[in-house]
Amino acid sequence: MKHLFFAVVFLFTAMLSAQNSVTGKWKTIDDETGKAMAILEIFEKNGKIYGRVLEIIDKKNRHLKCEKCPGGDKDQPILGLTVIKGLSKDGNEYNSGKILDPKSGKLYKCYINLEEKDKLKVRGYIGISLFGRTQYWHRLK
C-alpha cells in the first residue's frame, strides 16, 4: 500500500512540474500583426533549452529558406530550423542564449519565461533587454 501511495504522489508531482515547464509545443504570435506564424517545439538537450520550427501556418511560406541566416543555418529550410539556441535556467527565467529571426537572419540575445501556465513571454534583444521585442506564445494542448 505504501508503494502505491508513493507512486501516485510521484506521478502527480511529475504532472504538475510538466505543466510549469517551458518545454512543449507553442503557437508563435507575431508581435506586430497579432497573427499566428508557426508552431515551435521547445525542448531540453544537455541541460539547455532549444526551440525548432515544427510547422509554418501560412502555406505559401512553408518552402522558404533562411537566406540571410549566418553560419550553418544559411540557406536551410525554415521548417525544421532551430531558432532558440542554448538557453539556461536562471530562477523563473531562461536566458544566456540566442534567438534567430529567420526573416532578417539576425541572432539576438534572448530570454523566455512563463507568464502563465500556457503563455510564454519570448524577448529578443540587442545589448540590454530594453532594446528589443517581445512576443507572447501560447501552448498547444
Side-chain angles (χ1 to χ4, degrees), residues 49-63:
I49 295 293
Y50 298 85
R52 76 175 138 244
V53 180
L54 287 182
E55 181 182 336
I56 297 172
I57 293 174
D58 188 346
K59 292 179 183 179
K60 70 178 184 231
N61 292 330
R62 290 184 182 162
H63 71 283

Side-chain angles (χ1 to χ4, degrees), residues 20-120:
N20 293 325
S21 172
V22 298
T23 60
K25 294 180 183 177
W26 297 87
K27 183 185 293 187
T28 67
I29 308 296
D30 188 294
D31 57 305
E32 294 173 345
T33 66
K35 292 183 179 180
M37 299 183 310
I39 306 299
L40 265 75
E41 177 186 28
I42 296 180
F43 60 96
E44 185 175 343
K45 180 179 175 187
N46 298 325
K48 302 279 185 174
I49 295 293
Y50 298 85
R52 76 175 138 244
V53 180
L54 287 182
E55 181 182 336
I56 297 172
I57 293 174
D58 188 346
K59 292 179 183 179
K60 70 178 184 231
N61 292 330
R62 290 184 182 162
H63 71 283
L64 294 178
K65 295 187 178 191
C66 198
E67 296 171 355
K68 298 178 183 177
C69 289
D73 292 331
K74 183 167 180 54
D75 295 324
Q76 294 301 310
I78 294 172
L79 191 60
L81 192 64
T82 299
V83 294
I84 294 177
K85 301 171 185 246
L87 298 178
S88 299
K89 186 163 179 58
D90 182 12
N92 291 330
E93 176 176 289
Y94 294 82
N95 57 38
S96 301
K98 302 280 184 176
I99 190 165
L100 175 65
D101 179 355
K103 289 181 186 175
S104 69
K106 293 183 181 178
L107 271 172
Y108 297 96
K109 291 181 180 179
C110 176
Y111 75 83
I112 63 175
N113 68 306
L114 282 173
E115 290 277 306
E116 299 169 16
K117 182 181 89 166
D118 294 329
K119 183 178 179 183
L120 185 68

